[in-house]
Amino acid sequence: EKNDICMQAVALSFKADHYYFNNELDSLKAWIPRVQAFARANEQPTYYFFTWSRLILYYTKHGQYTLAQYELERYMAQAEQDDYKPAIAEAYKQLDHIYRTPCSYGCRNLLTGYFFNCTVEKTESFCTEIQITRKAVTERCFRIGYILELS
């Protein structure tokens, strides 16, 4: 339909999906701003964040974890600024996926039992609270990743 904004956003997102599944990084990176501009102009946040998440998944799939983390931080900041809860939840899911994926530092299941369940006190090795904040999780994740990288 010519006047169906939602379906136009879907069609643009499918093009980004095509680039993702065919491993065309340059095309994917060029297409994302086009989809996002359309989605912003037409109040379609689902597609704004969906195409961006494809870039993060691409980096993760190809073992480029540093780039994935960088994009994920930008993604999460924008989702929080927009107060778009589905994208915030997706960001945590993606962060968990990055740290559960075997990587070049030999880290496996870094955040098993930690990521969605609790925060960890600096002096304790077990979960003490079921209260979790984005800042605490992000700081903990990057601290763990940095320590493992050096060891």
Side-chain angles (χ1 to χ4, degrees):
E1 298 284 329
K2 289 185 178 181
N3 296 323
D4 190 346
I5 301 297
C6 184
M7 288 310 295
Q8 289 175 14
V10 168
L12 291 171
S13 294
F14 278 161
K15 183 107 178 189
D17 254 7
H18 167 77
Y19 294 136
Y20 167 76
F21 285 112
N22 288 306
N23 295 318
E24 298 176 29
L25 178 60
D26 292 335
S27 298
L28 178 61
K29 287 169 70 174
W31 196 254
I32 288 171
R34 295 173 79 179
V35 176
Q36 289 179 331
F38 181 85
R40 278 275 187 227
N42 294 290
E43 298 179 7
Q44 298 288 325
T46 301
Y47 304 104
Y48 179 89
F49 289 103
F50 173 78
T51 56
W52 200 350
S53 72
R54 285 298 190 202
L55 181 60
I56 297 164
L57 285 171
Y58 179 90
Y59 287 141
T60 304
K61 182 170 103 173
H62 291 279
Q64 299 172 322
Y65 302 107
T66 303
L67 291 172
Q69 285 178 343
Y70 171 74
E71 283 297 328
L72 189 55
E73 277 298 305
R74 292 180 52 224
Y75 176 100
M76 188 176 284
Q78 186 64 52
E80 287 178 343
Q81 181 180 341
D82 294 351
D83 195 32
Y84 188 60
K85 304 288 190 229
I88 295 170
E90 178 66 19
Y92 280 115
K93 181 179 158 190
Q94 294 268 357
L95 187 60
D96 179 56
H97 178 72
I98 289 169
Y99 280 99
R100 287 176 183 258
T101 303
C103 64
S104 60
Y105 308 120
C107 51
R108 292 178 187 266
N109 298 324
L110 282 177
L111 301 177
T112 302
Y114 166 75
F115 186 72
F116 285 110
N117 297 324
C118 60
T119 58
V120 177
E121 297 287 323
K122 288 181 183 177
T123 58
E124 297 178 359
S125 62
F126 59 93
C127 298
T128 58
E129 297 178 25
I130 301 218
Q131 187 175 17
I132 183 171
T133 64
R134 175 200 166 285
K135 184 177 179 187
V137 169
T138 303
E139 288 173 0
R140 176 73 177 160
C141 292
F142 288 119
R143 187 168 49 250
I144 290 171
Y146 182 70
I147 290 168
L148 285 175
E149 184 176 343
L150 294 176
S151 61

